[in-house]
Structures are given as C-alpha cells and as structure tokens.
Amino acid sequence: MMTPKIITSNAILVIGLKDSLTFITNAQGTGDLARQFMPRLNQIKNRVSTQKLSIQIYHDFDYAKMTPNTTFEKWVGVEVSNFDTVPQNMATLIIKKGLYAVFNYKGKPDGFFKAWQYIHTTWLPESGYSLDDRPHFEKLPEDYHPSNPEVEEQIWVPII
C-alpha cells in the first residue's frame, strides 16, 4: 500500500503554536491552532522552507493502548534556521535528529487516518523497525488546505 523512504533527519528547529489535544479533539483543535497560526506566518522571518509542520508528541506511544481520549501535544509550525527571533506568544521546539520512515500520502483528508492505521498496524510490525520516542509529524505543502479532496503531505514516523 505505502512504501516509505528511510531518512536520517538532522535536528529540526520549529517555531509555532501548541495545545494539548486528544484524538476526539484533534480535528477541531488542529483547525483552531492553524487559524491562530496562519495569519501570523509572515512574522516568522527565519523559515527554511514554505512547508508547514503538523506535529504530534505522544507520551509512551503504544498504538494498542491508544483510545479516543489519549492526550498528546499538538503543534502547528514551521521549520526555522535558528531561534534568534521568536514572535510573541509563539513557542519553540527542537525535534532531535534521528531515523524517520517518510510516507507520501495523497488523498482525501478523511483517508489520512486509514493511512496512519496502516503504518502502525501493518507496515511498522513487518518492517523490522520500532518506534522511537521522538515527535511524529506531517510536512504540508504551502498550498495545503484540509478541504482539498486530493491533499498531498509527508507523514514522518520516528523509528529505530
């Protein structure tokens, strides 16, 4: 179904907004963060690309134990070259360097969850890799919009 590229990523510096969400509140909460973040995007002067990042920081990720009420930290942000200038009320995050399985996803936004399930229930157990305890994230193109019926994004899964 989906075959990833295995990439060793350098550390990624992020400026953005964050919130504590659950799988139930994820869609609304991510939309809220994006609506707060996007009008302020041009305040971030040291961006390294036009891509946006949607980041999830799970605590002791175990797919089998996750429920709709599992809490995680959600970020909406962009990669930057440094933290010399951080806009007011925005936060910083360093994603440590490491190995990632990078999946290209193209399709309807509501199909994303099926792709995510496939990665964690089929690909990962068969891959010989294990999850690493680093952030999971998606890289979204500059023109990304969740109402687009054929969204394209990269799903980055931390592995060891």
Side-chain angles (χ1 to χ4, degrees):
M1 181 179 174
M2 299 173 76
T3 303
K5 290 182 183 173
I6 306 302
I7 295 174
T8 300
S9 172
N10 291 323
I12 299 171
L13 306 180
V14 178
I15 293 177
L17 299 175
K18 64 179 177 175
D19 200 0
S20 180
L21 301 178
T22 68
F23 288 102
I24 291 173
T25 62
N26 185 48
Q28 179 68 43
T30 300
D32 290 347
L33 282 172
R35 281 185 289 280
Q36 293 170 46
F37 180 74
M38 290 309 296
R40 300 186 62 203
L41 188 59
N42 290 332
Q43 294 177 16
I44 303 170
K45 303 298 184 195
N46 45 353
R47 295 167 54 193
V48 300
S49 79
T50 60
Q51 293 177 314
K52 296 176 283 289
L53 300 175
S54 176
I55 304 165
Q56 298 73 230
I57 301 174
Y58 303 105
H59 307 286
D60 300 320
F61 186 101
D62 183 344
Y63 186 85
K65 293 180 181 174
M66 291 193 152
T67 72
N69 292 312
T70 297
T71 302
F72 57 92
E73 190 173 289
K74 179 69 175 205
W75 284 74
V76 173
V78 292
E79 184 176 355
V80 296
S81 55
N82 58 60
F83 295 140
D84 292 350
T85 57
V86 178
Q88 187 174 1
N89 299 322
M90 287 199 190
T92 61
L93 173 68
I94 299 174
I95 299 175
K96 293 179 186 173
K97 69 179 182 177
L99 209 56
Y100 275 89
V102 180
F103 297 84
N104 287 319
Y105 174 74
K106 181 177 181 176
K108 296 185 180 343
D110 58 4
F112 177 87
F113 184 68
K114 286 183 182 174
W116 192 82
Q117 280 184 309
Y118 167 81
I119 291 166
H120 291 93
T121 62
T122 303
W123 181 82
L124 190 61
E126 295 174 0
S127 70
Y129 293 101
S130 300
L131 277 180
D132 195 5
D133 188 22
R134 288 179 285 119
H136 297 230
F137 61 93
E138 293 79 49
K139 285 190 175 183
L140 311 173
E142 183 176 19
D143 63 353
Y144 176 87
H145 195 279
S147 66
N148 180 346
E150 288 294 311
V151 298
E152 292 187 53
E153 58 190 273
Q154 292 180 336
I155 303 169
W156 289 59
V157 180
I159 55 174
I160 49 177

